[in-house]
């Protein structure tokens, strides 16, 4: 119990420090349907497999969402005036709520987020839900469950996201880091061959070059991985 409690409190402290110093915060809204615990009247985040009769299902209103998040955003800005908040609606449909109920839920979220963007100059909106529904309106962009976006759709959304938020230099840097990550995930048949050892040395050189050019990027863990793999 003590170990768990210590870890929870540590994560809360780190999250608090992050929110007080970060430049950007992304909030993704999934559904406007919530469950209230009848005993307390409070909205729960997890039913913990308790009987359904203990809860009441409810659709939040646009005004209730706006009111709740207006208070939250005011609090965040008071602690960190430089924070920029990007809101988005998840493209994952909650079909367990029913097709019509899912659409009503998403529409409620969209109306609420529109109002929040209007209220705050440091709050913006990225249309991930709309891109999935309009640009990718075909089941070949969905996983086997026909609900979640597949990798092709994720890559497309990421590309659109990058076009909005990334500079060209950032794109190039991502490609370089992507190559290093791919190299780290490579599993050789014989790691002790001269060829593979040279491959490791090349990756170490590439990381050191990146560290020199972009000292703010933490590549210590991946660098340690390649150094440990050297014989």
């Amino acid at each position: 119990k003590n170990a768990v409690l210590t870890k929870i409190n540590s994560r809360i402290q780190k999250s608090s420090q992050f929110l007080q110093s970060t430049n950007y915060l992304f909030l993704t809204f999934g559904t406007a349907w919530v469950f209230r615990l009848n005993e307390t009247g409070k909205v729960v985040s997890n039913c913990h497999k308790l009987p359904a009769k203990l809860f009441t299902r409810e659709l939040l209103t646009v005004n209730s969402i706006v009111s709740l998040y207006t208070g939250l955003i005011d609090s965040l800005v008071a602690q960190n005036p430089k924070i920029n908040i990007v809101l988005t609606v998840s493209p994952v449909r909650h079909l367990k709520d029913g097709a019509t109920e899912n659409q009503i839920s998403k529409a409620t979220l969209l109306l609420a987020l529109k109002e929040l963007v209007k209220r705050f100059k440091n709050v913006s909106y990225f249309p991930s839900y709309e891109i999935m529904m309009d640009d990718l309106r075909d089941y070949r962009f969905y996983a086997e469950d026909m609900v979640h976006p597949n990798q092709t759709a994720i890559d497309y959304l990421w590309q659109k996201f990058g076009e909005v938020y990334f500079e060209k230099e950032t794109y190039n840097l991502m490609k370089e880091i992507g190559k290093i990550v791919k190299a780290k995930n490579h599993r050789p048949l014989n790691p002790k061959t001269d060829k593979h050892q040279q491959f490791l040395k090349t990756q170490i050189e590439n990381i050191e070059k990146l560290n020199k050019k972009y000292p703010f990027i933490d590549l210590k863990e991946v660098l340690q991985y390649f150094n440990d793999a050297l014989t």
Side-chain angles (χ1 to χ4, degrees):
K1 284 185 178 181
N2 290 336
V4 171
L5 186 60
T6 299
K7 193 167 186 178
I8 291 172
N9 287 332
S10 174
R11 290 300 296 270
I12 290 173
Q13 186 177 13
K14 287 180 180 177
S15 298
S16 176
Q17 291 169 349
F18 168 80
L19 289 173
Q20 292 176 42
S21 61
T22 186
N23 291 320
Y24 293 94
L25 174 66
F26 292 84
L27 297 176
T28 300
F29 291 71
T31 177
W33 288 101
V34 298
F35 288 85
R36 291 188 185 275
L37 182 62
N38 295 332
E39 185 180 348
T40 64
K42 290 186 177 180
V43 174
V44 298
S45 59
N46 194 308
C47 68
H48 296 291
K49 298 184 179 180
L50 292 171
K53 65 181 180 181
L54 298 178
F55 305 92
T56 300
R57 184 168 173 263
E58 174 188 331
L59 180 69
L60 295 176
T61 65
V62 172
N63 288 339
S64 64
I65 296 171
V66 171
S67 175
L68 177 66
Y69 278 87
T70 294
L72 174 64
I73 293 169
D74 280 337
S75 176
L76 287 170
V77 173
Q79 295 181 62
N80 182 1
K82 71 176 187 297
I83 195 170
N84 293 282
I85 301 170
V86 180
L87 308 176
T88 189
V89 172
S90 170
V92 177
R93 293 168 298 159
H94 288 244
L95 293 181
K96 64 182 180 181
D97 293 329
T100 302
E101 287 82 356
N102 171 73
Q103 291 294 76
I104 293 171
S105 166
K106 297 292 187 182
T108 300
L109 294 176
L110 290 168
L111 289 170
L113 301 197
K114 180 182 178 182
E115 179 61 30
L116 289 171
V117 170
K118 190 191 305 183
R119 289 191 181 194
F120 296 94
K121 64 179 181 180
N122 61 332
V123 174
S124 61
Y125 179 76
F126 178 73
S128 56
Y129 176 75
E130 293 85 340
I131 292 171
M132 191 72 201
M133 294 297 106
D134 295 331
D135 282 12
L136 306 177
R137 53 180 183 272
D138 191 299
Y139 274 109
R140 71 177 185 272
F141 297 111
Y142 286 85
E144 291 181 0
D145 63 4
M146 297 299 181
V147 173
H148 291 82
N150 62 17
Q151 192 59 50
T152 302
I154 292 170
D155 292 343
Y156 184 84
L157 284 162
W158 180 244
Q159 177 190 339
K160 292 296 182 182
F161 179 86
E163 289 172 2
V164 176
Y165 294 103
F166 297 153
E167 295 178 349
K168 186 176 180 180
E169 185 180 9
T170 304
Y171 261 126
N172 294 333
L173 176 57
M174 284 169 56
K175 288 179 181 178
E176 292 301 315
I177 293 177
K179 290 177 184 177
I180 292 172
V181 171
K182 187 176 180 180
K184 179 178 179 292
N185 293 332
H186 173 67
R187 294 292 178 265
L189 292 174
N190 190 347
K192 295 184 179 181
T193 62
D194 291 342
K195 185 177 181 180
H196 184 68
Q197 291 297 305
Q198 183 55 51
F199 170 80
L200 295 173
K201 291 176 182 176
T202 300
Q203 301 313 312
I204 291 170
E205 289 173 3
N206 291 338
I207 293 171
E208 288 173 344
K209 286 178 184 176
L210 275 179
N211 268 334
K212 190 172 182 181
K213 190 174 182 180
Y214 304 102
F216 54 87
I217 297 177
D218 185 2
L219 296 170
K220 294 188 185 74
E221 186 177 332
V222 70
L223 180 62
Q224 186 64 49
Y225 171 84
F226 286 117
N227 277 318
D228 289 346
L230 281 174
T231 56

